Amino acid sequence: EAGVAQSPRYKIIEKRQSVAFWCNPISGHATLYWYQQILGQGPKLLIQFQNNGVVDDSQLPKDRFSAERLKGVDSTLKIQPAKLEDSAVYLCASSSGGPRDSYEQYFGPGTRLTVT
Amino acid sequence: AQKITQTQPGMFVQEKEAVTLDCTYDTSDQSYGLFWYKQPSSGEMIFLIYQGSYDEQNATEGRYSLNFQKARKSANLVISASQLGDSAMYFCAMREGSGGGKLIFGQGTELSVKP
């Protein structure tokens, strides 16, 4: 089965510009996560979707970050305007999200963003 | 609040030897899950092993085992017979409850396997 797909893999932008990342989860996975991983740290959740509804966006900087999952499948994460501290790897993950969810989250390859 | 602590920023191990990566956690929930992920230099997060808080036996997956000590709130990863391809960052993570909630990650341990 195909894994989690993300694009682009790398992006370099100047501060104050905007950028968008795309994620396609594993087919049939209801739950989708966006994590931010700053160099030298573990990933931190930005937003979690269950189908097309937001479950947790408590750590999403909503003044500049937005995310959507309109049809409960693909998702986009946008940053506008970008700041230097947004330089990080943005990881998308998905899980089947069943009620007895011991299931692991499957991660995509990530998008490495550099803000100059 | 949930917290994961990995106190070893870097570890070295000789090829074919066993190594233990430490992880302690803090939670007030009775139901939670503990995960270990491997992150090679290519960047992808690879799931290794899972331990549920109610599981009585330590989890094992091939060369990986999780030494779960609930009273001490520790979930150490043991890699037996280290291989050169095991060189990577290793992250311990926790999820509260039994639903599909977010993972809280530790800072990671960089493992280097020497030939």
Side-chain angles (χ1 to χ4, degrees):
Chain A
E1 109 189 318
V4 177
Q6 289 188 248
S7 68
R9 291 296 311 278
Y10 305 92
K11 190 75 176 178
I12 301 174
I13 61 172
E14 295 182 350
K15 60 184 178 183
R16 292 187 289 273
Q17 286 187 327
S18 63
V19 64
F21 312 129
W22 173 82
C23 173
N24 183 250
I26 292 173
S27 177
H29 278 192
T31 309
L32 185 147
Y33 313 79
W34 283 102
Y35 289 88
Q36 180 192 56
Q37 185 178 20
I38 293 172
L39 185 65
Q41 299 182 16
K44 180 187 77 173
L45 181 78
L46 291 175
I47 189 167
Q48 175 185 348
F49 292 94
Q50 181 78 18
N51 296 308
N52 60 351
V54 175
V55 174
D56 185 347
D57 64 356
S58 57
Q59 296 190 88
L60 186 74
K62 298 180 185 63
D63 57 334
R64 299 184 300 106
F65 285 64
S66 64
E68 60 184 13
R69 193 185 184 198
L70 291 176
K71 296 184 179 179
V73 182
D74 293 12
S75 177
T76 57
L77 176 69
K78 297 179 181 178
I79 308 174
Q80 182 179 10
K83 292 185 175 182
L84 295 177
E85 59 261 36
D86 298 332
S87 293
V89 175
Y90 291 84
L91 294 163
C92 180
S94 71
S95 75
S96 55
R100 280 188 49 80
D101 193 13
S102 62
Y103 315 132
E104 65 266 31
Q105 295 179 15
Y106 295 85
F107 283 80
T111 296
R112 186 177 299 274
L113 173 67
T114 301
V115 182
T116 63
Chain B
Q2 295 177 323
K3 187 177 180 181
I4 293 284
T5 303
Q6 294 179 255
T7 57
Q8 306 155 313
M11 292 276 288
F12 289 92
V13 65
Q14 206 67 36
E15 192 178 9
K16 300 180 185 177
E17 292 185 348
V19 63
T20 298
L21 306 183
D22 294 341
C23 173
T24 58
Y25 61 92
D26 190 18
T27 180
S28 55
D29 262 29
Q30 296 301 309
S31 176
Y32 51 89
L34 296 158
F35 300 77
W36 277 92
Y37 281 84
K38 172 184 178 181
Q39 188 175 43
S41 56
S42 53
E44 75 272 27
M45 298 287 282
I46 302 167
F47 167 77
L48 296 178
I49 197 166
Y50 166 82
Q51 178 86 40
S53 58
Y54 293 117
D55 295 339
E56 294 186 353
Q57 292 196 339
N58 287 342
T60 60
E61 292 284 351
R63 294 187 300 111
Y64 305 107
S65 61
L66 199 153
N67 184 359
F68 181 47
Q69 297 187 45
K70 196 169 182 177
R72 298 180 61 184
K73 292 190 174 179
S74 73
N76 298 339
L77 176 70
V78 181
I79 306 175
S80 63
S82 297
Q83 301 172 357
L84 295 178
D86 293 335
S87 294
M89 285 292 292
Y90 288 81
F91 289 95
C92 181
M94 177 173 64
R95 186 194 59 228
E96 284 185 338
S98 58
K102 67 184 178 188
L103 294 176
I104 303 294
F105 286 86
Q107 295 285 86
T109 295
E110 184 172 11
L111 178 66
S112 298
V113 181
K114 293 185 170 183

